[in-house]
Structure formats: structure tokens, C-alpha cells
């Protein structure tokens, strides 16, 4: 059989979310708003959990890193997608495409295991409250986030190098709005069996293992809550887990929809819809979920707002005193 012509590519063309000219401007406005809200929300969560003295606990340490990964993969995808809405040709240089793929894999896998670490943290807090600060020491917390980052970086490099060291055909149109591994595999002239096997095995391992940690943690939490005699204690325990459970359900439901659907119903159009949801919508929703459902975060926001108002009043009073004491 004749092999398709191999060529040295310098750039790729991204098909984008839609090819309808009339939808480009509305989509640009919509996704720009979503991205700005996501950046502001996640940056605020990172700063808030860093500077507020009452949020220096393991739970908010993990929340800060969750916000960091949300900010990471939404920024890896969002700006280039927005540029493509207003650009005449939706191209991305070869090296930028590889970089985008590598960082996206790094952040999305890290998020899965950080959510698992957060579930374990809630299990220790509810089931072993007296040992909580001993078990969840600062060293343990750093290990629980460092290991996912190192593992994700390793896996990201393997997949990205395997794809971009392979031979591409002369067709350079990616049927997506960013450089994802599955659309890139369709452009390869060389055999993709090894790469597909690596992606399949590690995707299954990442999803199943991280979800298993979450499920086991919450089963043990549920058993501990049901054994509580105090209704107030049960309500407090449920309230501390509510935000995390909401985030987990939304993210895993989206990922399973995308990666576990039957091959016969699999299409790049449905992938685009799911990808928009977990690359832009979920990073926007997470800070809202944690701020609206968490009394401590809302309290920290009120304290910062109060301090800012007091600082502005103090500056205004000093300005007025300086103005009145100035020579006429």
C-alpha cells in the first residue's frame, strides 16, 4: 500500500469551536468573560489562602494548588482559543503546539490527584480529628502535591515526545480548538499503536486510581458521619465535604463522558463540547463553588474587603489633613 507523503511541519491549523463567521464575535465575548472570571477567581483563591492567617490549614493548602492547576490548564488553552476567534487563520506553530499539549497534560492530571489528596484530607479530618494535624503535617501535604506534579510532568513528557518525534503526514489540520493528543494522532503517518496504548493505559490508571481514592475516602467518611449521635455534627461534617464533592462530580462526569463513551458514538464534535466544559467552565466554577459554599472563605473575603475599605478611608483622611495644612 502507498504511504501518505511525510513532510516537515512548521505549524498546524486549528479548526476551532465553530467555522460559522456569524458566531465568532459572540463566542469571543462569551469565552473572554468566562476566562476573565476564571483567572480572577483562581488568582483570588490562591492569594486569599496564602495571606489570610485563618486559612493556613491543610484543606486550604490543597485548595490553593487546585486553583493553581485550574489556572494553569485554562491559561494553556484559553488565550490561544480567544486569539483564534479574531484571527484570519487559526494557526499554531509546531513548537507551541507541543508546549500546549505538554502543559495541558501536566495540569489536568495533577488536578485529578490533588482532588484525591483533598478527599484523603477530609477523611482524616472527620474520621481522625484528634490526629489530624499530626497526620496531615506540612511535610505530608507537600508530598501529596509534589508527587502528582512530578508524575504528571513525567507522563506529559513521555506522551508529548512520543507524538512529536513521530512522522506527520502533509495534512496539518487539527480537528479541535487546541492541541490534544487524540486529534494529533490522526495526523501521524507512522504507526500510532504504541502511543495509543500508552495513552489508554495511563488514562485508565489516572481516572480509576484517583477516583478510587475519592470513593474509598467518602465511603469511610459516610460511615463515620452516620455513626455520629449529634445532628449538628453530621451537618458540619457534610458541609465541609459538600464543595469538594460537587467539584469531583462535575469533573469526573465530564471526563468519563469524553473518554469512556462507546467508540461508535465517539466524535470530535462531542469532544469539543466536553473539552470546552472542563478546560474553561470548570476552572471558572471551582472558585465559585468553594467561595459560595464555604463560610471560612466568605469570612476571609469579608475581612479583606473591610481592611481595604479601612485602608482607603485612612488614605483619604491623610490626604485631607495634608490638604488643610498646606500653605495657602
Amino acid at each position: 500500500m502507498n504511504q501518505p507523503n511525510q513532510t516537515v511541519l512548521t505549524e498546524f491549523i486549528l479548526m476551532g469551536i465553530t467555522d460559522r463567521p456569524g458566531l465568532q464575535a459572540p463566542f469571543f465575548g462569551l469565552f473572554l468573560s468566562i476566562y476573565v472570571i476564571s483567572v480572577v477567581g483562581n488568582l483570588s483563591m490562591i492569594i486569599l489562602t496564602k495571606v489570610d492567617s485563618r486559612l493556613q490549614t491543610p484543606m486550604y493548602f490543597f485548595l490553593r494548588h487546585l486553583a493553581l492547576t485550574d489556572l494553569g490548564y485554562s491559561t494553556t488553552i484559553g488565550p490561544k482559543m480567544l486569539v483564534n476567534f479574531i484571527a484570519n487563520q487559526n494557526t499554531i506553530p509546531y513548537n507551541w503546539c507541543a508546549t500546549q499539549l505538554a502543559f495541558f497534560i501536566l495540569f489536568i492530571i495533577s488536578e485529578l490527584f490533588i482532588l484525591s489528596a483533598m478527599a484523603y484530607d477530609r477523611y482524616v479530618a472527620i474520621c481522625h480529628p484528634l490526629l489530624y494535624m499530626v497526620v496531615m503535617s506540612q511535610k505530608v501535604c507537600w508530598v501529596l502535591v509534589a508527587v502528582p506534579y512530578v508524575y504528571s510532568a513525567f507522563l506529559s513528557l513521555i506522551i508529548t515526545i512520543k507524538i512529536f518525534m513521530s512522522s506527520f503526514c502533509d495534512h496539518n489540520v487539527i480537528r479541535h480548538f487546541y492541541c490534544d493528543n487524540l486529534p494529533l494522532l490522526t495526523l501521524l503517518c507512522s504507526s500510532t499503536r504504541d502511543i495509543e496504548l500508552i495513552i489508554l493505559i495511563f488514562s485508565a490508571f489516572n481516572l480509576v486510581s484517583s477516583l478510587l481514592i475519592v470513593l474509598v475516602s467518602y465511603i469511610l467518611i459516610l460511615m463515620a458521619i452516620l455513626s455520629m449521635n449529634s445532628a449538628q455534627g453530621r451537618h458540619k461534617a457534610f458541609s465541609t465535604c459538600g464543595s469538594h464533592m460537587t467539584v469531583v462530580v462535575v469533573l469526573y462526569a465530564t471526563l468519563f463522558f469524553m473518554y469512556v463513551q462507546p467508540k461508535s458514538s465517539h466524535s470530535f464534535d462531542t469532544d469539543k463540547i466536553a473539552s470546552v466544559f472542563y478546560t474553561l467552565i470548570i476552572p471558572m466554577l471551582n472558585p465559585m463553588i468553594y467561595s459560595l459554599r464555604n463560610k471560612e472563605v466568605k469570612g476571609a473575603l469579608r475581612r479583606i474587603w473591610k481592611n481595604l475599605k479601612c485602608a482607603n478611608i485612612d488614605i483619604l483622611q491623610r490626604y485631607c489633613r495634608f490638604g488643610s495644612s498646606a500653605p495657602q
Side-chain angles (χ1 to χ4, degrees):
M1 294 180 65
N2 293 327
Q3 291 282 338
N5 292 331
Q6 299 179 12
T7 186
V8 178
L9 297 179
T10 58
E11 64 180 14
F12 294 96
I13 299 173
L14 298 168
M15 287 188 65
I17 294 177
T18 180
D19 56 357
R20 298 181 183 180
L23 294 177
Q24 300 293 328
F27 276 177
F28 174 80
L30 172 64
F31 290 116
L32 177 62
S33 302
I34 291 172
Y35 178 66
V36 169
I37 294 170
S38 175
V39 170
V40 171
N42 285 294
L43 275 178
S44 299
M45 193 64 69
I46 293 169
I47 295 170
L48 191 65
T49 55
K50 187 70 176 175
V51 302
D52 193 278
S53 59
R54 300 186 189 183
L55 301 183
Q56 304 306 307
T57 63
M59 174 181 173
Y60 295 104
F61 172 83
F62 293 122
L63 181 55
R64 180 161 65 248
H65 284 275
L66 179 68
L68 181 64
T69 56
D70 281 336
L71 182 64
Y73 69 77
S74 62
T75 300
T76 299
I77 305 300
K80 179 58 182 173
M81 183 190 71
L82 292 170
V83 168
N84 288 346
F85 279 124
I86 55 177
N88 291 328
Q89 192 172 17
N90 303 338
T91 59
I92 182 170
Y94 182 91
N95 292 334
W96 286 21
C97 185
T99 304
Q100 187 182 60
L101 175 63
F103 276 103
F104 176 72
I105 294 173
L106 166 66
F107 287 119
I108 195 69
I109 296 175
S110 297
E111 173 143 328
L112 292 177
F113 289 102
I114 288 173
L115 284 171
S116 300
M118 293 175 75
Y120 176 71
D121 170 72
R122 291 299 83 207
Y123 156 72
V124 177
I126 292 172
C127 299
H128 304 284
L130 298 179
L131 299 175
Y132 179 62
M133 295 310 296
V134 177
V135 176
M136 301 303 296
S137 64
Q138 188 175 20
K139 182 179 179 180
V140 171
C141 291
W142 272 110
V143 168
L144 289 176
V145 297
V147 170
Y149 285 142
V150 172
Y151 165 74
S152 302
F154 172 73
L155 186 56
S156 171
L157 287 174
I158 288 178
I159 294 174
T160 304
I161 291 172
K162 286 287 288 183
I163 290 176
F164 282 87
M165 289 294 288
S166 301
S167 301
F168 284 93
C169 302
D170 55 1
H171 186 64
N172 68 336
V173 178
I174 299 175
R175 297 174 59 190
H176 217 320
F177 61 91
Y178 68 94
C179 292
D180 198 9
N181 48 38
L182 295 180
L184 282 168
L185 290 180
T186 63
L187 305 182
L188 296 181
C189 285
S190 55
S191 173
T192 62
R193 183 177 179 180
D194 291 345
I195 306 174
E196 288 178 349
L197 192 60
I198 290 171
I199 293 172
L200 177 63
I201 291 172
F202 280 104
S203 296
F205 172 78
N206 296 335
L207 282 172
V208 173
S209 62
S210 59
L211 184 58
L212 188 62
I213 295 171
V214 173
L215 290 176
V216 171
S217 297
Y218 275 109
I219 289 171
L220 295 174
I221 288 171
L222 183 61
M223 292 170 61
I225 290 174
L226 293 176
S227 65
M228 293 179 180
N229 296 323
S230 169
Q232 184 179 1
R234 287 195 295 269
H235 175 73
K236 184 178 180 181
F238 275 121
S239 65
T240 60
C241 300
S243 300
H244 180 258
M245 289 177 65
T246 305
V247 171
V248 166
V249 169
V250 171
L251 177 62
Y252 278 91
T254 307
L255 291 177
F256 271 96
F257 170 79
M258 183 168 180
Y259 291 107
V260 189
Q261 59 180 316
K263 193 170 183 179
S264 58
S265 62
H266 182 86
S267 73
F268 285 117
D269 289 333
T270 56
D271 283 357
K272 286 181 187 179
I273 297 171
S275 297
V276 166
F277 198 78
Y278 76 75
T279 57
L280 293 173
I281 306 298
I282 289 178
M284 178 190 70
L285 291 177
N286 285 353
M288 295 182 181
I289 292 170
Y290 276 101
S291 59
L292 293 176
R293 294 180 59 91
N294 192 299
K295 292 181 180 179
E296 291 177 333
V297 172
K298 287 190 285 187
L301 288 171
R302 282 194 294 267
R303 287 192 295 273
I304 288 181
W305 178 247
K306 184 179 179 180
N307 291 337
L308 287 174
K309 287 199 298 183
C310 291
N312 288 334
I313 292 171
D314 185 54
I315 292 171
L316 184 60
Q317 288 174 343
R318 290 183 183 182
Y319 177 78
C320 292
R321 284 198 298 269
F322 175 78
S324 62
S325 62
Q328 300 293 326

